[in-house]
Amino acid sequence: MSTITADEAVADTTAEVDLGVALNAAFEGRHHERRAAGRAAYPTDGMHRDPSLGLAEARQWTLERLKVLVDHGFGQAIQPAESADEATLVQSLIDFETISHGDLSVAIKSGVQHGLFGGAIASLGNDDQHDRFLGGALSLEVLGCFAMTERGHGSDVQSLETTITFDPEAGDFVVHSPKESSAKTYIGNAAAHGHMAAVFGQLIVDGTEHGVHCILVPIRDDDGSVHEGVTIGDNGHKGGLIGVDNGWISFDHVPVGRDLLLDRFGSVNTDGQYESSIENPNRRFFSMLGALVRGRICIGGGAALATRRALSIATLYAQQRTQFRHPGTEDETPLLDYLAHQRKLLPAIARTYALGFAQNDLIDSFARVASNPDHQPKEQRALETLAAGLKALNTEFANATVQTCREACGGAGYMSENRLTQLRADTDVFATFEGDNTVLLQLVAKGVLTNYREVWGGLDRLGMVQASARMVGSSVIERTGAGLLAERLVATARRKGDAAAFYDRGWHAWMFEERERHSIDSLARRMRAADRDSFEAVNAMQDHVIFVARAHMDRVVLDSFIAGIEACDDGPAKQTLEELCTLFALTSLEADAGWFLAHNRMSDARAKALRKHINQLCGDLRPRATALVEGFGIPAEWLGSAMLEV
Amino acid sequence: MSTITADEAVADTTAEVDLGVALNAAFEGRHHERRAAGRAAYPTDGMHRDPSLGLAEARQWTLERLKVLVDHGFGQAIQPAESADEATLVQSLIDFETISHGDLSVAIKSGVQHGLFGGAIASLGNDDQHDRFLGGALSLEVLGCFAMTERGHGSDVQSLETTITFDPEAGDFVVHSPKESSAKTYIGNAAAHGHMAAVFGQLIVDGTEHGVHCILVPIRDDDGSVHEGVTIGDNGHKGGLIGVDNGWISFDHVPVGRDLLLDRFGSVNTDGQYESSIENPNRRFFSMLGALVRGRICIGGGAALATRRALSIATLYAQQRTQFRHPGTEDETPLLDYLAHQRKLLPAIARTYALGFAQNDLIDSFARVASNPDHQPKEQRALETLAAGLKALNTEFANATVQTCREACGGAGYMSENRLTQLRADTDVFATFEGDNTVLLQLVAKGVLTNYREVWGGLDRLGMVQASARMVGSSVIERTGAGLLAERLVATARRKGDAAAFYDRGWHAWMFEERERHSIDSLARRMRAADRDSFEAVNAMQDHVIFVARAHMDRVVLDSFIAGIEACDDGPAKQTLEELCTLFALTSLEADAGWFLAHNRMSDARAKALRKHINQLCGDLRPRATALVEGFGIPAEWLGSAMLEV
């Protein structure tokens, strides 16, 4: 890697802009036009919040800003589940992404109001409820809460304590928090702005519990006074997102009209009897939660936007900021010329592309499943698995990467006017809300193992081993759509074996597949051997379970990247994407080099050489760094970072 | 790992308290009494800041709180360099640690005022300056700035642009910022409270530049008005530490009395000629900076305190917080019973112990070197290398671990009242101030390679290879004091070879040594082969350089841990420390498993089994978790975390 001269830089400028534009079109793929339209509609005046605003002012500012966005048409693409069409479903996700270019408190407040409160009505309500409540939720006429989490139960939603008891005499429901631990908490819109809450609790009819259902409960009057029987508290200052008014809500035998139970999956009929189209309470519960998958997709998408914003800031800064004399010259060296700096930013850029392509596929999968009332349970499970996995990957990656970017900008990165610390503070909680990442990765593994059982379930232990040997495991990994291309590449690479080159995509895909397949096989074997009713036995496998989830997700992400490159028809952009994909793949292999070596999937020489090839790719990509972040599609002036010369 | 029953828990309580006390005594080692005395003197009323305070109130609160600490004797142990004694030197470090139990803005403000501003006077000033200024700096009578960093130059201190020009006619100095990039920035005490600044700049006498020196410049009057020629700006809101009033200062030909140059290492005599006891300007520069090593030791120590506070909070919470029904019982499972949760917290606890023992040794090294005016350059270099390395390790570990703890506490962890997010925000900048971690790790490697050159320097390339083969490299790694015990263990383990057990400390020490020795050897070989004047050639090794630094530091830390255990004479505490040390060692080996396999230092079977042994250790240690964090010596009520039942 050599420093580019000023002349070369000028000559490169036009080419870079074109490359950036072409990369952006490829990166945004099938949703490029919709995203561009979103950016065109986005009101940029006042998109960033003054970081010194206090709690009360920040909350007020956030509400006002959300109103501006609604006036510009954002957050409106929420339709009743039965009549949802693909285009609108996609639009709902792109809206959240676009809003995430600005203050994230606004994005989360929209997520609470439109995605969760509106989404609960749209997904769980009946026609009458759609007519009465959905419009007000979308227009902000009725600000609402999504009251699921309780003090005592977050991840374990099935154990919520709040009760929704049918009172046959009055013909209505009674919502109640039996214990202190039953209070709803960390609820957005609760502390200040909400007038209604979609409350999740155990539905009890005639003494029988029917599991978790959701009911709309008015909590404040028009004048803001809290309803009788409802107690609301303020969660106060938080680590970030202080524009969102999180609070707690507790109910003391609050009567609620029977027409307010969101009863798509379970209702009480005029005879006062419980009715549901889904017999199995467990399946009913997961259907109810499955209808809410949009939230997870949005959070993953919002985290991805935060990552892209931070990487754009740090990458532009690393080219303008110099430090230490460049040997043999009078100039100082731009930070991005240092290998250590390249290794902080360029593999992160590569992974950002990878996750972006996978998110595109997730968006399509969501639109396809949610617009088709006759979708198969298997498609729903695949969607939920992908949404859980990408939420976990995107949010943990956002936290790590925004922090890396902060540090890469030194002291300047710590100043609020440069936006990185607030991004970091705001995305922090993305790792644990809408599903704790550790729990979500376990869900991913569960989804993967369910597929596995369907393929292998009928075989006994010996039969399985024989079948394994015969089928080389490839049928464990079911590829569709984006994955088919990768599947062909793997087949070719297998034939080459050790002769496959470092830059051979088939070798990457093969290695990713081996990591996934072997870890699933061995986990399944351990599961079969273990007493699955024993906490200790299952608990002892928890790290293995998480490894499987990561191996699966990285393979799925690579598949998406490969398909995304295939769809790109701009030569230079395609070439750049190939290099980014290799950088992503080699970085993932390097991180697990111990595994590949110990499991004889890689030779010592090859493992040792990974470092060199990664360094080489970083050097090769460095002159195109500006174009790489332009590919994220964020206008430089939107970054709002005082230190950038834009 | 099985859940402990309530009966067992009660029976264990006394034992745990005793174990916690014994662990604390061992962990704090030779400085246990001084630390205990510090805690006894520490005023706990109002030790935490209300996180919702705005910028101005937070700054005022921080100043008031610092005054309270000074009234209680904190921050006073700063002595003139020539007369410093070991006990007082140690006390200055323990003071900073103790203050770090509370709000970190207060700790950093004390660091700026006492450690940096006071420290500059004490280390770089003459007797007269000590008499005139040191007292006021320590008593807070004169609040001061440490004005080193400029807009244009942070890590590259040698290239500072500010000029300190001797004016022979007036007989004084003129301090000037020639360019916009020369303004001092991110300077604590600048924006609001400072009256004087220790300004670093290029000393120019009779047209000749003599390199970076430091001069005291009055910047504000008693009434707070800014002096003529001085311009001060406010850095505004930051990602954390908002109680510290960081700002920028620019000088327009400001005349400063000749008696204000801190002239221990370089002065202007009565004839207007430059004089210095150190001929070589480069050596003079590093002597000047070396005198300021205390700051790095304090930051590492403060980061360690933040880590311990966060781990204490998360570990106590993980035992009181339950989620999901425990199979076969009516109870729910405490979070810490889950393997995934154990793996988040217990290896971090183990590493915290490891770093703590190394910090103890660093404190001793500092006291020994700084109290001995006749110390050898080699001792100074060893001290600076250790201080740089432990600052980098402690601060990056703090950021990662506080974040892990935040996530381990779910939504509750995000609420400011539980203290984790503010700890995270405040420690963030520790990674880049007082030396950027990436730069510091390169300093560590440089220090290590300098030792290497001294040992191998005389040999040509062929001779070196032969010598390597003969001496098995052990002389590259020079061990003294804490390391001697480890050296003996390694010798024994080498004899056992592959037969050494997983729990054999000698095997751990041997592996750590192999990682360090081999990576130094190969780096030295690459350095010799490369054109060291070529930026590209040197830059291509930057990741190797950083690997060497980490390998060296982890080895040094393990040496300290081993010596710390040896010094412990409480049976159960010693046994627990042995297990923690093994957990630390195996976790470090697991992180680099790819390296050990590719370099044939570990068999596939052994690498694969690391995971199992780490899990086993986590399970074994889990019942002692409370005692483990009690060993950190933080009274539970000091944690100030609303969610904890203490």
Side-chain angles (χ1 to χ4, degrees), chain A residues 361 477-492 509 513 555-556 558-560 562-563 566:
Chain A
D361 289 341
I477 298 172
E478 281 192 285
R479 284 188 162 108
T480 54
L484 295 175
L485 181 57
E487 193 162 273
R488 285 200 299 277
L489 293 172
V490 169
T492 313
E513 182 174 308
R555 194 268 301 166
V556 166
L558 179 62
D559 283 1
S560 287
I562 292 172
E566 178 71 11

Side-chain angles (χ1 to χ4, degrees), chain B residues 538-553:
Chain B
V538 174
N539 193 39
M541 292 180 245
Q542 214 171 23
D543 61 331
H544 195 157
V545 165
I546 289 169
F547 186 87
V548 162
R550 292 188 188 283
H552 170 74
M553 287 308 305

Side-chain angles (χ1 to χ4, degrees), chain A residues 1-3 51-52 151-156 159 186 235 237-241 321-327 332-333 337-340 343-344 399 403 406-407 410-412 414-416 421 424-426 428-429 431-432 436 438 526 533 535-536 539-540 542-543 546 593-594 597-600 604 607-608 611 615, chain B residues 1-3 51-52 151-156 159 186 235 237-241 321-327 332-333 337-340 343-344 399 403 406-407 410-412 414-416 421 424-426 428-429 431-432 436 438 526 533 535-536 539-540 542-543 546 593-594 597-600 604 607-608 611 615:
Chain A
M1 234 314 299
S2 66
T3 316
S52 67
R151 278 196 199 118
H153 294 89
S155 293
D156 184 5
S159 298
Y186 316 137
N235 286 136
H237 197 273
K238 307 194 300 285
L241 297 179
R321 175 74 177 178
T322 61
Q323 201 75 179
F324 294 105
R325 184 75 53 84
H326 194 87
E332 296 191 344
T333 308
D337 282 357
Y338 292 107
L339 175 62
R343 289 215 48 155
K344 285 176 190 172
N399 279 326
Q403 181 62 24
R406 195 307 278 163
E407 293 178 24
Y414 198 56
M415 302 299 121
S416 299
T421 50
R424 179 67 189 70
D426 289 345
D428 178 352
V429 74
T432 52
D436 174 274
T438 305
R526 289 179 72 189
D533 293 330
F535 173 79
E536 285 71 23
N539 193 39
Q542 212 170 25
D543 60 331
I546 289 169
L597 285 163
H599 292 80
N600 294 310
D604 293 351
K608 277 188 201 168
R611 195 188 51 72
N615 291 352
Chain B
M1 233 316 299
S2 67
T3 316
S52 67
R151 281 199 195 111
H153 294 91
S155 292
D156 184 6
S159 299
Y186 316 139
N235 286 135
H237 197 272
K238 307 194 301 287
L241 298 179
R321 174 75 177 179
T322 61
Q323 201 75 180
F324 293 107
R325 183 72 54 83
H326 195 88
E332 294 190 346
T333 307
D337 283 358
Y338 292 106
L339 175 62
R343 289 215 47 155
K344 285 177 191 172
N399 278 327
Q403 180 63 23
R406 193 310 274 163
E407 293 178 24
Y414 198 56
M415 302 298 122
S416 300
T421 50
R424 180 69 190 67
D426 289 344
D428 178 351
V429 75
T432 53
D436 174 275
T438 304
R526 288 179 73 189
D533 292 330
F535 173 79
E536 286 71 23
N539 193 39
Q542 214 171 23
D543 61 331
I546 289 169
L597 285 163
H599 292 81
N600 294 310
D604 292 352
K608 276 188 201 168
R611 194 189 52 72
N615 290 352

Side-chain angles (χ1 to χ4, degrees), chain B residues 313-630:
Chain B
I313 291 169
T315 303
L316 296 177
Y317 185 69
Q319 293 177 90
Q320 84 185 34
R321 174 75 177 179
T322 61
Q323 201 75 180
F324 293 107
R325 183 72 54 83
H326 195 88
T329 72
E330 281 305 294
D331 298 327
E332 294 190 346
T333 307
L335 296 187
L336 198 54
D337 283 358
Y338 292 106
L339 175 62
H341 216 82
Q342 291 169 10
R343 289 215 47 155
K344 285 177 191 172
L345 299 182
L346 290 165
I349 289 174
R351 191 170 175 85
T352 301
Y353 272 87
L355 291 170
F357 283 112
Q359 186 80 6
N360 289 346
D361 289 340
L362 172 59
I363 291 171
D364 289 338
S365 167
F366 169 69
R368 215 164 39 234
V369 172
S371 64
N372 175 11
D374 304 319
H375 65 258
Q376 298 298 308
K378 190 172 168 176
E379 291 174 280
Q380 174 77 22
R381 192 174 68 225
L383 168 64
E384 287 176 28
T385 301
L386 186 59
L390 276 181
K391 186 275 185 186
L393 260 54
N394 267 311
T395 56
E396 73 175 15
F397 182 61
N399 278 327
T401 306
V402 180
Q403 180 63 23
T404 299
C405 291
R406 193 310 274 163
E407 293 178 24
C409 296
Y414 198 56
M415 302 298 122
S416 300
E417 64 177 11
N418 292 319
R419 303 285 170 207
L420 291 165
T421 50
Q422 199 176 327
L423 269 180
R424 180 69 190 67
D426 289 344
T427 49
D428 178 351
V429 75
F430 285 34
T432 53
F433 72 11
E434 288 294 308
D436 174 275
N437 282 352
T438 304
V439 174
L440 291 182
L441 289 173
Q442 293 175 67
L443 275 187
V444 169
K446 197 178 150 197
V448 170
L449 284 170
T450 307
N451 281 340
Y452 188 92
R453 223 179 4 252
E454 289 185 358
V455 176
W456 298 106
L459 302 170
D460 61 14
R461 225 176 287 174
L462 181 66
M464 191 181 109
V465 172
Q466 289 171 336
S468 271
R470 213 169 48 237
M471 301 172 65
V472 208
S474 56
S475 67
V476 174
I477 298 173
E478 281 192 284
R479 285 189 163 107
T480 54
L484 294 174
L485 182 56
E487 195 163 87
R488 284 201 297 278
L489 293 172
V490 169
T492 313
R494 272 183 199 280
R495 281 196 297 275
K496 289 189 210 160
D498 280 351
F502 258 99
Y503 294 87
D504 184 333
R505 188 75 61 232
W507 180 64
H508 307 150
W510 180 26
M511 289 297 106
F512 278 51
E513 183 175 307
E514 285 293 301
R515 176 172 54 183
E516 177 182 8
R517 191 184 58 75
H518 180 91
S519 61
I520 294 175
D521 274 351
S522 56
L523 178 60
R525 235 186 333 263
R526 288 179 73 189
M527 290 259 179
R528 277 162 190 260
D531 170 6
R532 261 180 287 176
D533 292 330
S534 152
F535 173 79
E536 286 71 23
V538 174
N539 193 39
M541 292 180 245
Q542 214 171 23
D543 61 331
H544 195 157
V545 165
I546 289 169
F547 186 87
V548 162
R550 292 188 188 283
H552 170 74
M553 287 308 305
D554 261 20
R555 194 268 300 166
V556 166
V557 168
L558 179 62
D559 283 1
S560 288
F561 205 151
I562 291 172
I565 295 173
E566 179 70 11
C568 171
D569 51 15
D570 177 279
K574 192 164 192 152
Q575 171 55 30
T576 299
L577 291 173
E578 292 283 11
E579 290 168 64
L580 286 168
C581 187
T582 303
L583 182 54
F584 159 67
L586 297 185
T587 311
S588 175
L589 295 180
E590 188 187 45
D592 280 336
W595 188 93
F596 286 101
L597 285 163
H599 292 81
N600 294 310
R601 286 340 191 251
M602 209 183 276
S603 70
D604 292 352
R606 189 153 275 217
K608 276 188 201 168
L610 281 169
R611 194 189 52 72
K612 192 182 68 186
H613 287 277
I614 290 170
N615 290 352
Q616 179 68 44
L617 278 164
C618 287
D620 291 346
L621 286 164
R622 184 260 176 267
R624 283 165 281 171
T626 299
L628 297 184
V629 296
E630 280 170 358

